Amino acid sequence: MHKDLERILLSEKELDTIITRIAAELDRDYSGSDKRLVLLCILKGSVVFMGELMKKITVPVEIDFMRVSSYGAGTETTGSINIILDLLRKDLDQCDIVIVEDIVDSGRTLSHLTKYLKLKGVHSVRTCTLLDKPERREVDLVADYVGSVIPDEFVVGYGLDYDEKYRALPYVGILKREVYEK
Ligand code: PRP
């Protein structure tokens, strides 16, 4: 285990089981659809989850990317989000989009993105998150596919960072308080 971690919250094996289950749910829900299934990875934190998830889905699937940022810095997210990399494809009315997130915290990012994509004329939008912190919710957002509901701890690894570090860890761990409070 990395020395900056308090403990591992989700091991590689547990993550594999979770992602296998979500892929099966997506296969079940999108088999037989005549639209294009698009996994929309929200950079950067979702990249590891997305990479594993797409390998386990057996129905035809496409991928795309957006990057957004919340205004403000540090460990808190704020009310509005800023689109840094937009979705450029022109066939959105033919797309069933599943937004893929690493974590839902306040819920503002997914809530805003869902409304944004609907306004752009997407055929359907659903949301998928590896981790869910319901204690932190500020808006009414329930993700359609949830990997694991977790406590309100500072988690890193498997794509999630603190100050851009720890994203490459193959598990999700709880960061020691002294690391982000010093
Ligand atoms: C994180 C996460 C979500 C968002 C969730 O991204 O990946 O996009 O915050 O928070 P919310 O539910 O309060 O909106 P972050 O801004 O840390 O960017 P990153 O993925 O590039 O690390």
Side-chain angles (χ1 to χ4, degrees), residues 5 13 17 22 42 45 52 65 77-78 82 84-85 87 93-94 103 110 114 116 132 149 169:
L5 298 184
K13 191 159 176 279
T17 303
I22 295 177
I42 308 305
E52 291 304 310
F65 298 86
T77 49
T78 58
N82 188 17
I84 298 167
L85 173 68
L87 188 56
D93 60 331
Q94 295 303 309
I103 191 164
L110 274 186
T114 303
Y116 178 75
D132 187 3
V149 174
L169 295 177

Side-chain angles (χ1 to χ4, degrees), residues 88-105:
L88 296 173
R89 55 192 299 160
K90 293 193 168 71
D91 61 346
L92 291 174
D93 60 331
Q94 295 303 309
C95 294
D96 287 325
I97 289 190
V98 175
I99 308 174
V100 177
E101 269 289 20
D102 52 340
I103 191 164
V104 183
D105 197 334

